[in-house]
Amino acid sequence: MRQLWLTGWMNNYMRHVVASFLIAYLHLPWQEGYRWFQDTLVDADVAIDAMMWQNGGMCGLDHWNFVMHPVDAAMTCDPYGSYVREWCPELADLPDELIHKPWKCPASMLRRTGVVLGQTYPERIVTDLEERRSKSLQDVALVRKQFPQYVDKRSGCDLVPLPKRLVSEALGLSHWDGVVLTEEKQFLLPVITRMEFKHQLEDPDADAASNPYNAVLKGYVSRKRDETIAFLNERDFTASVMYEGAQRQERLEKDYRRMEGLHPSPSPRRRVRRTPTAKDKFSIVPSGAVASMR
């Protein structure tokens, strides 16, 4: 919002994040976002602005089949916090891992960085993102259940009534008393509808997490980072166990030979080394696991 107000511009990814947060998490009508963007954007266009906000508001002709999670989206497109540090300098001293969620910082870290939630930086306006998102999905299901005449029973798509004049012109009719159009009939156009909504109609009270077509996008970078950390931890643990096992075996053998009065076993020629493709410290393997190249 600071970037938009000061520069009159915002990239497309961030526009999606703002729209998803406004509608799916704050439960505000899409017209609010449309009016503000129309007033502040230097590239404001009535047609595209209104159409995209309607689609984001789940009432357009082409529903967005995704919802941007405010935190995951931030970690995806701004993993090192550069964007936040530019437009929210009061958070600049927080570490990259927590700059997108300062409410999770320890109190001591907030004190060291001079961040006082509620004073130098606002408190969160939504404390349970998942609950708010589920409530939004339940509201959509309730509306669709209240107006079954505008939901196609076969496909589950939303139906939009077209103006009679538009249908008449499209069919080449010059009079309103034709067989196709009467005062009692409407021409209903099925529109692209999010699979999440179709499934939610069967169980309106279900939360978003249990919906198999949950449209909330998970952050790629943050997920990849978590998976990488987990993988490295597991590999490091496995290597450590193998190494400790080898050391224990060597100690037992050494103690046995000393108790039996035998000569100490010769030092092993195989040494700990990196594998040929190693690029990090976790690739070191226990002695003897890989034959020496010498």
Side-chain angles (χ1 to χ4, degrees):
M1 291 296 96
R2 292 178 182 180
Q3 180 193 25
L4 178 61
W5 181 250
L6 292 174
T7 68
W9 190 82
M10 182 190 297
N11 68 51
N12 188 58
Y13 190 96
M14 291 304 299
R15 298 185 194 200
H16 283 300
V17 174
V18 170
S20 292
F21 186 61
L22 184 91
I23 296 165
Y25 294 95
L26 296 185
H27 300 174
L28 294 175
W30 65 266
Q31 292 91 337
E32 295 290 334
Y34 164 73
R35 281 192 288 265
W36 184 250
F37 271 55
Q38 195 64 27
D39 183 54
T40 53
L41 284 174
V42 295
D43 62 344
D45 179 278
V46 173
I48 188 66
D49 198 17
M51 183 190 75
M52 294 302 285
W53 272 102
Q54 286 180 35
N55 291 338
M58 301 168 286
C59 61
L61 297 180
D62 182 9
H63 296 178
W64 292 350
N65 199 36
F66 59 86
V67 173
M68 309 296 289
H69 189 282
V71 177
D72 287 346
M75 296 180 69
T76 296
C77 65
D78 187 34
Y80 304 111
S82 304
Y83 184 87
V84 175
R85 289 186 173 93
E86 179 176 359
W87 296 108
C88 299
E90 59 268 47
L91 300 179
D93 293 332
L94 294 181
D96 296 350
E97 296 79 10
L98 293 171
I99 195 168
H100 297 294
K101 36 190 175 183
W103 59 89
K104 287 195 173 183
C105 291
S108 57
M109 179 182 293
L110 293 177
R111 284 197 299 270
R112 287 197 304 271
T113 56
V115 177
V116 181
L117 297 180
Q119 296 182 26
T120 63
Y121 189 76
E123 292 276 6
R124 284 189 295 167
I125 54 178
V126 176
T127 56
D128 191 337
L129 290 169
E130 307 311 320
E131 185 274 334
R132 296 285 289 183
R133 157 77 179 135
S134 294
K135 183 62 170 61
S136 174
L137 193 57
Q138 291 164 5
D139 289 343
V140 174
L142 180 61
V143 171
R144 299 184 83 222
K145 195 171 184 179
Q146 288 178 341
F147 298 93
Q149 67 273 29
Y150 295 116
V151 177
D152 183 61
K153 294 181 175 58
R154 183 178 59 84
S155 65
C157 291
D158 287 346
L159 300 172
V160 176
L162 296 183
K164 292 187 169 115
R165 182 182 60 81
L166 180 63
V167 177
S168 178
E169 292 177 357
L171 297 177
L173 301 177
S174 57
H175 301 288
W176 289 101
D177 55 355
V179 177
V180 178
L181 296 175
T182 66
E183 290 297 327
E184 294 78 19
K185 292 184 178 180
Q186 283 184 317
F187 191 95
L188 300 177
L189 176 70
V191 298
I192 298 174
T193 305
R194 195 185 296 172
M195 286 293 296
E196 186 180 41
F197 297 158
K198 298 179 183 180
H199 184 272
Q200 191 76 9
L201 192 61
E202 302 174 3
D203 187 8
D205 297 326
D207 58 10
S210 64
N211 193 311
Y213 302 101
N214 192 337
V216 178
L217 297 182
K218 293 299 182 182
Y220 174 73
V221 171
S222 61
R223 185 175 68 242
K224 182 180 179 182
R225 179 165 50 196
D226 293 341
E227 290 175 351
T228 300
I229 292 174
F231 170 74
L232 292 177
N233 287 339
E234 181 180 358
R235 185 167 63 174
D236 185 42
F237 175 76
T238 303
S240 298
V241 171
M242 293 173 62
Y243 184 60
E244 290 174 2
Q247 284 188 321
R248 180 172 180 274
Q249 186 63 34
E250 290 177 3
R251 287 197 302 271
L252 290 175
E253 183 176 352
K254 184 178 180 180
D255 292 344
Y256 171 77
R257 297 184 71 87
R258 186 174 64 250
M259 291 173 60
E260 295 294 329
L262 301 176
H263 292 292
S265 59
S267 301
R269 296 184 58 189
R270 297 173 180 176
R271 302 294 181 184
V272 173
R273 68 174 184 82
R274 288 180 178 270
T275 57
T277 58
K279 294 182 180 179
D280 56 75
K281 63 181 180 180
F282 299 105
S283 296
I284 298 178
V285 294
S287 175
V290 179
S292 173
M293 299 297 291
R294 291 182 295 175

